[in-house]
Structure formats: C-alpha cells, structure tokens
Amino acid sequence: MCSNLESLLNGCSSSSSTMPIRSLVPGGKGVKNSLLYHAAVVPGRGACAPCTGDIILLMDAVPCRPADLAGSGGGSYCLAHVMDVGGKLSSVVRASRKIEDAGCYAFALSLLCFIPYVRIWRCLDHDAAVKRSPALVKVLAGDAPQSGSLPASSAPARPEIDADVAAKLSAFELNASQTDAILSCVKAAWHDGGASKFSLVWGPLGTGKTKTISVLLLLLLKSQAKTKCRVLTCAPTNTAISQVASRLLALWKQHGAAEDGGCHGDLLLFGNRQRMGIDDGDLGEIFLDTRVKRLLRCFSPATGWRHCLVSLVEFMGEPRTVRSQYHGACWQKDGIKLLESPFVRSRFHQIFQKLTNCFRTIMSQVPRAILLEKNYKNIVSLIELLQGFSKLLDKKIVGSDVAVRVFLTTSAKKFDDSVAEAGKSELVQNLMQNKTLILGMARTLLRDLKLPVTRSRFRIKKLCLRSASFVFCTVSGSAKLNNQKMDLLLIDEAAQLKECESLIPLQLSGLKHAVLIGDECQLPATVKSKVAEAALLGRSLFERLSSLGHKKHLLNIQYRMHPSISIFPNLRFYDKKILDGANVTQEGHGRKYLEAAMFGPYSFINIDGREDPGRSKRNMAELAVILEILSALKKACISSGQGVSVGIICPYAAQVEAIQQEIGDEKGMRPLAVRVNSVDGFQGSEEDVIILSTVRSNNAGSIGFLSNLRRTNVALTRARHCLWILGNAATLRSSGSIWEELVRDAVDRRCFFNWNSPIPPRQNAAACCRGYEADICGALGSLRLAE
C-alpha cells in the first residue's frame, strides 16, 4: 500500500489520481455498524471510481507527496475498505476507525484492490494442498520426477486420439517447434498416470505463442466428445485472457468446430467487461454475464422453454383453449368480433417464433452434454416440423375454414371428410399428420428435458460455470471456481505471475496436468519490496519449475520483427536460438517511412541532452526529437496515403506524461496511430514503428532501473518494421549495463547516428539508403556465418 501510494503521488499529478468526496454518511443500509459509511465521489479526469474490494485513503486535502501524510504536520486521513458498490460513483465503505466528523474528508484515493491478496492468502494452506493433491506438492517441492516422465505403471490411455491430433495439426500451418509443443502437451495431458504434471512452453517475442495456445485448445475442443476433458485457461490480466479467447473463436469459425458437435455453450469467459472489451461480437457469445441474461428469458416460468412447450401443446391439442383465447382476444377489443382465421394463424406464428427463438438460444448457450443428445435431436426435429407446418398453413389453397378447423378438430378423419368435397384432402392430411407429430415431440420434450425453470440469476450462473467444458478467466478470477472440478489447466504469460498467484487456479480439484506458457526473459511480476525480491518471493512458478529441471518446449521462429531488429535481442537474451520467419525475411517486410539513413529498420540516435532532476525523469531534448520525427512521419504518410502505427516507449512516467501533453489529441496525428506508454504498458503489444526514449543523460553513467535486462528485452522487441532508439551514448556506455553492449553493437553494425541536424534533404536519401542496406546485409551475413 505504501509503495502504491508513493507511485501514485510521484508518478502522476494528484488531480488525476484523487476524487473529490461528494458525501460521506454514517451507517450502511440495513446494518447498524458505526464503521460503515455511504460514500459518494465526484468523477475526476483520469481517476477510476472505487471498486468492491479496494482499499482507499480518505483525506482532508490533496497531498503532493507521501511525506505530506506523515508526522504531526500531516493532514487528517483514514483508510477504508470498499465493501459494496451501489453505482459507478457511490459505495459502502468500512473505515479503519470511527470517524467523528464525516464532513472533514474531502478527497479519496484508491490504493489497491485487496481481493487478489485475499485469494492468494487462502491458497497458502500446505495441509489442505497435501490432502487435495499430494503429487502436486511434491512437484512444487522438487521431490517428483521431471515433467514428461511417467510412472512405470502408466501407459498411453488414448493412442488413437494422439494419432488423430497429429493428423489434424497439418491444417494449421504450424512450424516444427509449435507442432512439437502441442503434441507434447496433448500426450502428457491424456496419459493417465494419476500424478499431477507440468508442461512448460517457452514462447519468446513474436514466436506465435497465442496461436500455439489457440490451436491446442481447438484440438482439445474438437476431441471433447471422446475425452470429456474440462479445461481452464488463465492469464494475468483481463486483456490477455480475452485475446486468447478471441483467437480461439476465430479459429473455431475458420476450422468449423461446431461441425464436430460443439457449441458456444462449451466455452465460457468471465471477468471485467470493460477491461475485456466485451461487445455484441464473438466474445459476447461466450461471456458469462451475457449468457446469464439470455438464458434468464429462456428459463423463466413466464417466458421460458417450458412455458413455450405448454403453450404449443394447449393451442394445438386442446380446442377449448383456442376458443377461450379467441373469445378473450375479442373481449380485449371491446367486444369487436375478430375473424377466427387471422387470429388462429397469428397466434400460432407467435407461439412458433417464441419457441424457436428460445430453443435456438438454448442450443447455442447450453452445452449439448447438458441437453443430452436425444433431446438435442428432438429439439431440432420439433423446429423443423413447426417450420413445415407453418409453410403448409400459409399456402393460398388453405382457406379460412381449413386454418381454423386444423386447431379446432381433434379427429383427423372427421376433419378430412368435412373438406373432401373441396379437393383439399391431401393438404389437410399433411397438416393433421404434422400436428400429431408436433404434439408428440413437444410432450416428449416436456417429459425428458431437465433444464431448470427459474428466475434466479445465481442458479443460472452456477449452471453455466458447472457445465462449460472450456473456461477462460484471469488467474485471480479462477478463485470463483473453487467448487469446480477441472482436468487441465493452461496459464498464459505464466512468467509474469508470482508463484503464489499461480497457486490460485492450481488449488482446483481434479487437475491432472498444467501447461504453463511464458518467457522468462520478458517482464516478471512487479515486486516493490527489496527484501521479498532478494528472497525470490517474486519468482514465477514457470521459473521455479525450469530451475527444477523441467523441460521447456521452445518456440524458436519469430514472425514479428525485421531481422535487423531481432539481431541484438536474439544474441543477447536467447543465445541465437530464435530464427527469423519467412515472412520477415522477405523483401516486402521492410519499410522505409523516412528517407534518411538513420530511419532504417534499426538505429541508435545519439542525442546530447540532459535529464531533468526528480524521482521520475524527463529529457526534453529527446522529447523535441520525438516531436520532429512524428511531424516528418505524418507529412510522409499524408503524401503516400498510408497509415502507420507508432509506439513511443519511455521507461519513466514523467517522460510519458510530457510526451502525451505535447502530442495532445491523438486524432490530430492521423494518419499516424500514435500510442505513448511505459515499457510495462507495451508488454504483449507491437507497432509498425517504435521510438524508444531512454531518457537518462548524466555524467555519472547512472541509468537506474533502465538497466533491468527483462525490461530492456521487452522495449527492444515491440517493433515490426522500424526501431529507433534515442539516448545519450556517453551515459549509456559508462553505465556498465546491457546498454553499453547495445551502443557498441550499433556502432559495430554501423547503425549509430548523431542527431546533429534535422532529417537530411531528399536528394541525399538514395545514397544514404544504399549505404545503409549494404551495412545491414553485411551484418546479417556475419551473423549467419557466426551461427
């Protein structure tokens, strides 16, 4: 909490992180507790309203720094826990102490969300873990065999499935490393050894990690009828897990998983709707809240499936009901007599449409395993019979007398005799036969279909969580599944999670195997305590298992970066194990947005400026260069008529804020799509052009946390076509860090440039470009020889 408070007050202006308090009234609704208060806040620019579980700070004045809250000279403040949120701007909070004067607090500041910490704490129960899964505890303690080694008594449980999966993989155009990783995970997950095991998939930058996960999930989904395997897929954030689910849905459409008997009901996604970007598209089809809302209408006693079936049986099988409804409709029209035929047709089509819509929603949103195969086929048959009956009833040859008597006559023979002279006996016979079949099918479904009839959102939500075979949520959100049984766990971006966070989904019962996907060379979990960091408490489960000797399946072909960009990170972080994909080595992948040599695919631009003093650094010289580059890019793109995505990465929040203020409205930069953020904010993203502002410039060679290897790796691997690094070469060279190596590498590869003047004239561009291409070709050639 102290670290977050310090970051909030030092990293951004207080006006954007605090919210004025409109009212603070003692007492929670229906609860007599002196520590409960109704709090209402005024929305501030950039400030997020408190959420349930947040710890907030109530203050009498806006502090400028954490020290303002300490000591006798500090203002009045109080900690509070948000118990419930009644609206976007109102909530019930529990204060840490009794507040004598509720009107003395004028501002609120959110410090952290407490819920994930509570969930982690509940998982740190060794005795419960041993009872639940002793084999898992042995693996985590390093006392079990390495992943992939099965007990002697184990044997492949489903060899025919393994062969089937291998045959299907050819349709997805995977490389060898992706195929090997998927086959390894499938084989490990489907061997019945009785012991919990782990598979590690090492997915460096741009190597198709998300595609590999999606294909693995799709193959498991296609094999669901044979394996009956329940899979939980998690990621650290709502954004990350929604991307995995979205990619799976895209593959689902492309490769026709629904043709294998699957439906959207087999998939379930839950979490924060806003952060996931849920709309009416594909993700909305599998989002929990949307599903509950749709099924609420289908399960309601007044509008749901049973009501529709009963209405159909009564209308088609009980003439007295039809007569009663007809007279009721006439009475509602103030006694005006309605024509029977239009009423009968209209009423039938109304029932038909409601029933059809209800059952189509159910077939889409409820897994077939819950409906049962025979009921599913009966529903399909009933809808087809009703469609056929509707077409017959709407034929012009069917007069008013026939339409009415179809619903008012119980004997097919009497009805057939009464209209035989009209030459309609064949049509009548078809109508009556269809009517009999419809009634029989409807009564069968009323007897056999075991779906709930309820208005309870809680019961419907419980059904959705229990019945879905493939569930997607954040790692923290998986705590909501604590009473569910899962067979397989997949954790994306596992290297970004602290080990204790990974324990939340690992506590679920029934887990036979876990697949962890991540990259130890990219950003780890944030640990602000130096003591905890020294004790390796921020280490991920991915790293722990790797250190215990578990095999990692490396995805070794990158499809994102121009080869000039990938050279240094590949050599420095991955020991030249990563190969460039065919798409990035083709001539068409190169881009020349500006004509100067320094604006090729990769360059280090030396800027002689000075950083501003302060905890969060700024460098106004680099800011000026960035603005000049953006201006030139904008003009070039307007001239060529092409749009370009530009990412500006800065390690310091003050530099990010300064650039954002100078750029102003991003719409004014079009056709450039400009995004400015910290290194952490760009994790998992990519842009056409990346401008990296290193900021640090001093005589001492001090670069602070800029020296972090994993953060540097992320910053250097976000660009598709061009990476332009801005920095003070003298400072970085004397830092004794990885940046010293980077500057030296840029000089050796002739990618080092001094910013002495603006962009060179157009007439010099061709010569510069030819010289640059020769330098890059030479560098690539030397790298191949070294390999």
Side-chain angles (χ1 to χ4, degrees):
M1 289 167 58
C2 289
S3 298
N4 281 348
L5 176 62
E6 187 174 357
S7 299
L8 283 167
L9 298 183
N10 285 327
C12 57
S13 61
S14 58
S15 61
S16 66
S17 56
T18 57
M19 296 160 287
I21 296 176
R22 179 179 295 160
S23 63
L24 189 64
V25 182
K29 184 178 180 181
V31 180
K32 296 181 180 179
N33 189 324
S34 60
L35 296 180
L36 291 181
Y37 297 84
H38 274 296
V41 298
V42 179
R45 182 182 177 185
C48 297
C51 300
T52 302
D54 279 4
I55 301 295
I56 63 174
L57 189 67
L58 307 176
M59 307 168 290
D60 61 350
V62 178
C64 295
R65 51 189 180 277
D68 291 347
L69 298 171
S72 58
S76 175
Y77 66 92
C78 177
L79 286 172
H81 180 213
V82 180
M83 307 296 292
D84 187 32
V85 175
K88 290 185 177 180
L89 303 174
S90 63
S91 56
V92 175
V93 303
R94 183 180 185 275
S96 58
R97 57 180 171 80
K98 186 174 181 179
I99 301 174
E100 299 297 339
D101 180 13
C104 70
Y105 296 114
F107 297 95
L109 175 67
S110 290
L111 290 182
L112 56 77
C113 181
F114 196 58
I115 292 176
Y117 298 95
V118 173
R119 291 171 175 170
I120 291 171
W121 183 255
R122 289 173 180 168
C123 293
L124 299 178
D125 188 336
H126 180 270
D127 293 338
V130 170
K131 291 179 181 178
R132 184 172 55 248
S133 181
L136 174 63
V137 176
K138 286 183 178 180
V139 171
L140 296 178
D143 298 330
Q146 293 185 9
S147 177
S149 58
L150 297 172
S153 59
S154 298
R158 301 175 176 90
E160 73 284 358
I161 295 178
D162 292 348
D164 184 49
V165 168
K168 289 179 178 178
L169 280 175
S170 59
F172 298 99
E173 299 180 354
L174 302 172
N175 62 52
S177 65
Q178 292 170 327
T179 300
D180 290 345
I182 291 174
L183 287 176
S184 174
C185 293
V186 168
K187 290 178 181 178
W190 284 340
H191 283 289
D192 298 327
S196 297
K197 300 177 291 295
F198 291 90
S199 292
L200 305 183
V201 178
W202 186 8
L205 44 110
T207 53
K209 172 176 59 64
T210 304
K211 180 179 181 179
T212 303
I213 299 171
S214 304
V215 171
L216 172 60
L217 288 170
L218 184 64
L219 292 177
L220 293 172
L221 186 59
K222 281 176 168 283
S223 304
Q224 178 63 20
K226 300 177 182 178
T227 62
K228 307 296 182 184
C229 178
R230 294 199 73 195
V231 182
L232 171 62
T233 305
C234 296
T237 64
N238 286 281
T239 301
I241 194 60
S242 64
Q243 288 176 348
V244 175
S246 180
R247 183 69 70 88
L248 174 62
L249 287 172
L251 280 177
W252 164 293
K253 279 187 174 182
Q254 183 181 354
H255 294 276
E259 298 173 2
D260 297 323
C263 70
H264 282 115
D266 292 308
L267 310 175
L268 185 67
L269 168 70
F270 65 88
N272 188 295
R273 175 184 286 271
Q274 286 71 34
R275 293 173 184 170
M276 286 182 172
I278 302 296
D279 52 23
D280 295 330
D282 291 339
L283 284 180
E285 291 291 326
I286 67 172
F287 189 63
L288 176 60
D289 293 347
T290 304
R291 179 166 296 170
V292 170
K293 183 179 179 180
R294 291 177 179 177
L295 291 180
L296 189 62
R297 296 193 298 267
C298 297
F299 292 163
S300 171
T303 61
W305 67 274
R306 179 168 284 278
H307 170 79
C308 291
L309 285 174
V310 170
S311 298
L312 179 67
V313 170
E314 289 180 347
F315 193 77
M316 298 192 73
E318 299 180 18
R320 291 181 181 179
T321 300
V322 180
R323 286 288 184 190
S324 175
Q325 291 179 1
Y326 170 68
H327 290 305
C330 292
W331 180 81
Q332 290 179 357
K333 294 290 185 179
D334 296 327
I336 299 175
K337 186 174 179 61
L338 301 175
L339 295 176
E340 283 187 312
S341 178
F343 168 78
V344 167
R345 292 175 189 266
S346 174
R347 179 60 181 154
F348 166 74
H349 285 302
Q350 184 181 23
I351 295 173
F352 166 47
Q353 289 299 326
K354 285 184 177 179
L355 183 143
T356 301
N357 292 338
C358 180
F359 273 122
R360 281 179 175 163
T361 298
I362 287 174
M363 287 191 294
S364 171
Q365 300 295 314
V366 178
R368 194 175 297 188
I370 300 298
L371 289 176
L372 300 182
E373 191 65 26
K374 66 172 185 177
N375 291 329
Y376 185 90
K377 291 180 179 179
N378 286 340
I379 291 172
V380 173
S381 298
L382 176 61
I383 293 175
E384 290 176 350
L385 286 170
L386 286 169
Q387 288 173 336
F389 187 87
S390 176
K391 291 178 180 178
L392 288 174
L393 194 65
D394 289 341
K395 282 189 174 182
K396 292 182 179 180
I397 193 175
V398 180
S400 299
D401 56 336
V402 176
V404 172
R405 292 185 185 185
V406 165
F407 295 98
L408 297 182
T409 305
T410 54
S411 170
K413 185 177 187 308
K414 290 181 180 180
F415 185 28
D416 192 30
D417 292 342
S418 65
V419 296
E421 68 279 3
K424 304 172 184 177
S425 58
E426 183 179 353
L427 178 63
V428 168
Q429 189 68 28
N430 288 336
L431 282 169
M432 295 304 290
Q433 287 177 351
N434 277 19
K435 176 182 171 182
T436 302
L437 292 173
I438 289 170
L439 286 171
M441 195 67 70
R443 287 168 177 150
T444 299
L445 285 170
L446 279 171
R447 182 188 70 239
D448 296 342
L449 204 55
K450 304 302 180 183
L451 293 175
V453 178
T454 179
R455 293 189 183 92
S456 170
R457 288 179 177 272
F458 175 79
R459 282 189 62 191
I460 298 173
K461 183 178 289 189
K462 188 176 180 180
L463 171 68
C464 294
L465 290 171
R466 186 181 71 247
S467 61
S469 301
F470 290 73
V471 180
F472 300 82
C473 64
T474 63
V475 169
S476 176
S478 66
K480 297 179 180 180
L481 302 169
N482 58 0
N483 59 345
Q484 299 291 320
K485 185 177 180 180
M486 291 289 174
D487 300 297
L488 178 64
L489 169 66
L490 272 76
I491 303 181
D492 188 20
E493 304 292 0
Q496 292 184 39
L497 292 165
K498 293 184 283 288
E499 184 176 353
C500 56
E501 292 176 290
S502 299
L503 293 180
I504 299 175
L506 283 169
Q507 71 172 331
L508 298 178
S509 62
L511 284 178
K512 299 179 179 66
H513 196 78
V515 180
L516 308 185
I517 305 101
D519 181 11
E520 300 162 285
C521 299
Q522 295 189 52
L523 287 179
T526 301
V527 178
K528 296 182 178 179
S529 166
K530 300 300 181 184
V531 175
E533 190 173 28
L536 299 179
L537 296 182
R539 183 174 60 173
S540 68
L541 180 60
F542 190 96
E543 292 174 275
R544 173 193 273 268
L545 294 173
S546 179
S547 67
L548 292 175
H550 286 252
K551 181 182 177 182
K552 294 185 294 185
H553 298 275
L554 174 65
L555 306 181
N556 67 349
I557 300 180
Q558 71 89 13
Y559 300 96
R560 174 190 300 165
M561 297 171 288
H562 189 282
S564 304
I565 303 172
S566 65
I567 289 175
F568 182 79
N570 185 19
L571 182 64
R572 184 59 180 79
F573 300 105
Y574 300 103
D575 196 25
K576 295 193 292 185
K577 293 178 180 178
I578 309 300
L579 306 176
D580 293 320
N583 65 313
V584 300
T585 56
Q586 292 174 355
E587 185 178 351
H589 190 77
R591 299 286 191 278
K592 192 67 177 177
Y593 298 109
L594 295 174
E595 295 180 342
M598 70 173 65
F599 299 115
Y602 178 82
S603 61
F604 182 95
I605 302 173
N606 180 36
I607 299 173
D608 188 14
R610 279 292 176 265
E611 66 188 54
D612 291 350
R615 184 177 180 85
S616 187
K617 310 295 183 183
R618 291 189 312 174
N619 190 314
M620 303 311 290
E622 292 185 13
L623 171 58
V625 173
I626 289 171
L627 295 176
E628 190 168 345
I629 293 174
L630 289 178
S631 176
L633 269 176
K634 181 179 177 181
K635 291 178 182 177
C637 289
I638 291 174
S639 176
S640 64
Q642 64 177 332
V644 178
S645 63
V646 181
I648 303 174
I649 302 180
C650 313
Y652 291 94
Q655 183 82 341
V656 170
E657 186 176 0
I659 296 172
Q660 288 173 336
Q661 288 177 351
E662 289 294 331
I663 291 176
D665 186 3
E666 293 181 359
K667 294 181 180 178
M669 296 302 299
R670 292 176 179 171
L672 298 183
V674 181
R675 178 185 171 202
V676 187
N677 213 329
S678 64
V679 179
D680 299 53
F682 266 95
Q683 171 88 336
S685 302
E686 57 183 73
E687 306 292 350
D688 294 331
V689 176
I690 290 291
I691 303 173
L692 173 57
S693 173
T694 58
V695 178
R696 301 309 297 265
S697 181
N698 53 69
N699 295 326
S702 174
I703 63 171
F705 69 88
L706 186 64
S707 61
N708 183 281
L709 292 177
R710 294 166 76 159
R711 184 168 278 105
T712 302
N713 185 31
V714 171
L716 296 177
T717 55
R718 301 302 101 196
R720 283 190 286 264
H721 306 298
C722 295
L723 171 62
W724 304 328
I725 305 169
L726 313 183
N728 186 306
T731 298
L732 298 177
R733 273 174 170 163
S734 58
S735 66
S737 69
I738 186 174
W739 289 95
E740 179 182 357
E741 301 175 37
L742 185 140
V743 173
R744 188 187 311 118
D745 172 76
V747 172
D748 293 342
R749 291 166 51 191
R750 301 179 190 176
C751 300
F752 183 95
F753 302 90
N754 290 304
W755 183 270
N756 296 323
S757 60
I759 299 166
R762 285 180 175 270
Q763 58 267 27
N764 296 333
C768 292
C769 186
R770 285 194 298 271
Y772 177 80
E773 289 173 354
D775 295 339
I776 289 301
C777 289
L780 289 173
S782 63
L783 182 64
R784 294 191 187 99
L785 288 174
E787 291 174 350

